Amino acid sequence: MKKQLLRLSAVMLIIGGPAHVHAAKMPSLSSLLECKGEASGVAAYVDALEDGGLPSWSKNEELSGFASDVYRTPKPVNVAGLTATNVRFGSYQLGNYTAYGITSATDLDAVARQLGLRGVAGRGLARESTRGAWIVAREYEGRVELGCEYPNPLLGGKTGASKR
């Protein structure tokens, strides 16, 4: 009986390994989008998506662009009172670690006023959050994209990111 359980466990680990491993260490997406997480959380999502470890997520071909993949989440996520079902992660290997929810809102100025965002060179409409992170809103494909830009420690930013 023990041998059968051991074999079954090994088969389950091989078949469902990446999804279970990634799902176990994923931070809250809402917290990550609202600058309440760590930069390493962005890397965790990107790695999981690249490894196929988030099978309930799907790539949104319509919203994805050159070097910018957008993924549909399995359920809506709250971002500062707005709802998003599509998420875009920035390339943390080239710059800061970014995670944005593409909301259904279309009035960027109204969202900026609501969240107290102002024009910041190089970031668009933003305000500093905690530990060097920035809450950022911009227009993406006619909708308001809202999320967080975490500093990249490999580029002289603060701690909180994995060193890969």
Side-chain angles (χ1 to χ4, degrees):
M1 182 69 161
K2 278 187 176 182
K3 282 186 179 182
Q4 288 175 334
L5 282 174
L6 186 58
R7 285 184 194 145
L8 180 60
S9 296
V11 168
M12 293 302 290
L13 184 59
I14 291 168
I15 292 173
H20 294 296
V21 170
H22 287 297
K25 62 181 177 179
M26 300 307 287
S28 159
L29 182 57
S30 183
S31 293
L32 192 64
L33 295 169
E34 294 179 348
C35 292
K36 296 175 183 172
E38 299 287 333
S40 59
V42 174
Y45 274 94
V46 171
D47 290 346
L49 289 164
E50 288 177 355
D51 293 345
L54 296 175
S56 56
W57 289 53
S58 61
K59 188 174 178 181
N60 183 329
E61 296 292 344
E62 181 182 320
L63 291 177
S64 292
F66 175 73
S68 181
D69 291 334
V70 175
Y71 292 90
R72 285 184 193 93
T73 61
K75 60 183 180 178
V77 61
N78 181 25
V79 187
L82 299 171
T83 302
T85 54
N86 291 285
V87 178
R88 185 171 69 85
F89 297 98
S91 175
Y92 62 89
Q93 296 169 343
L94 302 175
N96 289 328
Y97 290 52
T98 59
Y100 301 105
I102 301 170
T103 71
S104 57
T106 57
D107 189 343
L108 179 59
D109 291 332
V111 171
R113 279 191 304 277
Q114 175 188 344
L115 298 175
L117 307 180
R118 67 188 191 298
V120 176
R123 287 195 168 86
L125 297 171
R127 73 174 157 83
E128 196 163 3
S129 183
T130 58
R131 296 168 291 169
W134 288 80
I135 296 172
V136 178
R138 57 181 67 141
E139 189 175 313
Y140 188 84
E141 300 290 328
R143 294 190 256 171
V144 175
E145 175 181 67
L146 180 62
C148 187
E149 181 178 304
Y150 294 92
N152 185 335
L154 302 177
L155 301 175
K158 308 233 186 226
T159 60
S162 61
K163 300 206 181 208
R164 300 175 34 138

